[in-house]
Every structure is written in C-alpha cells, then in structure tokens.
Amino acid sequence: MLFRSSRENIKHKCNKLYFSRFVTDIIIQDVYGSGGPVMADSEEEYRNQVNELTIIWDSLELQETKKISSFSSYFRKYKTSNILNHVSAKASRDAGFGYTVQTNNVPELVNSLIKRWQSFRLTNI
C-alpha cells in the first residue's frame, strides 16, 4: 500500500460517512502528521496511539453525524495493519530506508503520465 493511496482511501471513507472536511482533515493529520501513529517507533506505540485516536474519532463522528461510530471500526479492520506494515516509519526503517516514511508518489506520477501518453494502451517493449 502506498502512502498517498492510504491517505486517499481514508479521505474517501470519510466522504462516504458524510464527514465535514474539517473532521476529515483532523483524522488525516492524526494518522499521518508528525507525532501520529505513522511515525511510531514500535508496533506497541503505534497500536497505543491508534487506540487513543479511535476514542477521539468516535466522539468526533458522533458529534458530526449523530450516529454510532463506524469509522474507527473501519480503520481498525482495514487500515491499522496495512499502515503499520507498509506505510509507517517503522516499516521504512525495517526495510532499511531509515527513519522516514517512504512514498513513491513521483514514480506513480510518472507511471500515470506514461499511461496517458499511450492512451492507456498496452505496448510491447
């Protein structure tokens, strides 16, 4: 899973739940901002931060939608493990890239440009 895709998936889910942009931005910042779980030093720290944040998100969702929380269960089921194992600074460090969250947004952009240039046709090289 890619850093950018991960963020976009969460934004999309927030939109489907009719969260305001304000609440969506809070959640994105909570996860991906400096000091967020994506920057945790260990799996234990990561999981502790996720536990704390989901309590906050449940409250935000209740205030925003007047409905019982569904975002935190979505996040726990579909995002927690993927972010920890593929997007986090811990995953980057474990893979030998140092202590920074790795993105491949530039290669994704180049790939997208090439596909558009070729009108999304498969070519033989």
Side-chain angles (χ1 to χ4, degrees):
M1 181 182 359
L2 310 171
F3 182 83
R4 182 175 171 192
S5 298
S6 175
R7 259 193 349 222
E8 293 303 314
N9 289 343
I10 290 174
K11 283 182 182 180
H12 180 69
K13 181 64 175 182
C14 289
N15 288 336
K16 284 179 75 173
L17 295 171
Y18 301 105
F19 289 1
S20 66
R21 183 168 181 181
F22 177 75
V23 169
T24 300
D25 288 348
I26 288 172
I27 291 171
I28 295 296
Q29 183 62 33
D30 284 348
V31 176
Y32 299 100
S34 63
V38 77
M39 296 303 294
D41 288 328
S42 67
E43 183 174 346
E44 180 182 8
E45 181 183 347
Y46 175 83
R47 295 202 184 279
N48 288 339
Q49 287 184 6
V50 167
N51 288 337
E52 291 173 12
L53 288 171
T54 54
I55 293 168
I56 295 167
W57 298 339
D58 287 347
S59 176
L60 284 172
E61 184 171 357
L62 183 61
Q63 290 173 9
E64 181 89 358
T65 65
K66 309 295 187 239
K67 296 179 184 176
I68 297 172
S69 173
S70 60
F71 178 79
S72 62
S73 58
Y74 155 81
F75 188 86
R76 287 179 185 280
K77 185 173 183 177
Y78 297 106
K79 304 313 279 177
T80 301
S81 181
N82 286 334
I83 290 172
L84 174 64
N85 295 313
H86 301 286
V87 179
S88 69
K90 179 191 175 311
S92 293
R93 187 180 63 247
D94 292 350
F97 293 114
Y99 191 74
T100 58
V101 174
Q102 298 298 309
T103 67
N104 61 351
N105 294 343
V106 172
E108 281 183 358
L109 175 63
V110 171
N111 186 41
S112 175
L113 290 172
I114 290 171
K115 285 180 179 180
R116 285 189 185 113
W117 178 61
Q118 296 177 334
S119 300
F120 294 92
R121 289 186 312 253
L122 187 60
T123 60
N124 295 329
I125 296 179

